[in-house]
Amino acid sequence: MNLFSLYRELVARVLERKKTLIILLIAYLVFIILGIIFIKTPAVYYYHINLCDRYVDRVCFSSESVFVIFLERFLGNTVYLLIITCAGIHIAGLALPSFILAYRAYTFGGSLAIFFSVYKMSGVLIVFVLYLPIHLLLDAVFICATTASFSRAKCFRFKKTDFAALFKDFLLLLVIVAAICLLEMVLLLVLFHPIGNLM
């Protein structure tokens, strides 16, 4: 199985659905903005501050091994990817990846607002060297996976060849997710965990 040829084929399929891709990107940006705008709502504020506190405590300055954090993050994102990829077997399932992307974009926007307003300079550091690039890279994978699912939904026939194609897409995107989580692990090891251990 040639991963590079699979990657080229997947990218070609995603780019064939330019309208779907553009709509997903616009919706993603809209939900980020909504997350920032509604951060002042008390329930929303406390939800996001809990998310940020958990991210700082369990990821950035956790006492756990970075390898354990890598596994937890990888498995969590694998679940997202599995849902998004499998949603393409039926047109009704496409609501799931749409909801996942909307939720991730909304909480992303709200969390950015919290990091900048509450965590100040440490928040700026966390955002620009870890949270922002990793989150955007993962969401780029999820948007591509969603676009591929939209492309697949109308023609999926529950045959062996269709399931094989779905599995290949999942495997390829899973490798990319693993690489992103590995990058996150390296950034944590180099930039955050030594600081966290000293503190």
Side-chain angles (χ1 to χ4, degrees), residues 156-176:
F156 195 84
R157 293 292 179 267
F158 292 91
K159 294 181 179 178
K160 185 177 179 180
T161 52
D162 289 354
F163 279 110
L166 185 146
F167 176 73
K168 287 176 183 177
D169 280 358
F170 175 74
L171 181 63
L172 172 63
L173 293 169
L174 189 65
V175 169
I176 298 172

Side-chain angles (χ1 to χ4, degrees), residues 28-29 31-36 39 47-48 51-52 101-116 127 130-137 139:
Y28 182 78
L29 289 173
F31 275 96
I32 289 175
I33 293 167
L34 289 175
I36 295 170
I39 197 62
Y47 179 76
H48 281 89
L51 284 179
C52 292
L101 286 178
Y103 171 78
R104 284 182 60 86
Y106 185 79
T107 54
F108 180 49
S111 296
L112 287 177
I114 292 293
F115 276 125
F116 284 118
V127 165
L130 186 67
Y131 184 72
L132 180 71
I134 297 301
H135 202 289
L136 288 178
L137 285 170
D139 282 350

Side-chain angles (χ1 to χ4, degrees), residues 9-57:
E9 190 269 333
L10 177 63
V11 169
R13 242 184 314 124
V14 168
L15 293 178
E16 281 176 4
R17 303 275 306 197
K18 284 190 177 71
K19 288 182 180 178
T20 304
L21 184 59
I22 290 169
I23 290 169
L24 288 173
L25 288 171
I26 291 171
Y28 182 78
L29 289 173
V30 167
F31 275 96
I32 289 175
I33 293 167
L34 289 175
I36 295 170
I37 290 172
F38 289 110
I39 197 62
K40 296 295 183 183
T41 307
V44 174
Y45 178 84
Y46 288 113
Y47 179 76
H48 281 89
I49 203 160
N50 285 334
L51 284 179
C52 292
D53 285 344
R54 196 163 61 215
Y55 182 80
V56 170
D57 292 339

Side-chain angles (χ1 to χ4, degrees), residues 70 73-74 77 138 176-186:
F70 163 78
R73 301 276 290 164
F74 174 66
N77 287 301
L138 286 171
I176 298 172
V177 166
I180 295 168
C181 290
L182 186 63
L183 172 62
E184 182 182 48
M185 185 183 80
V186 171

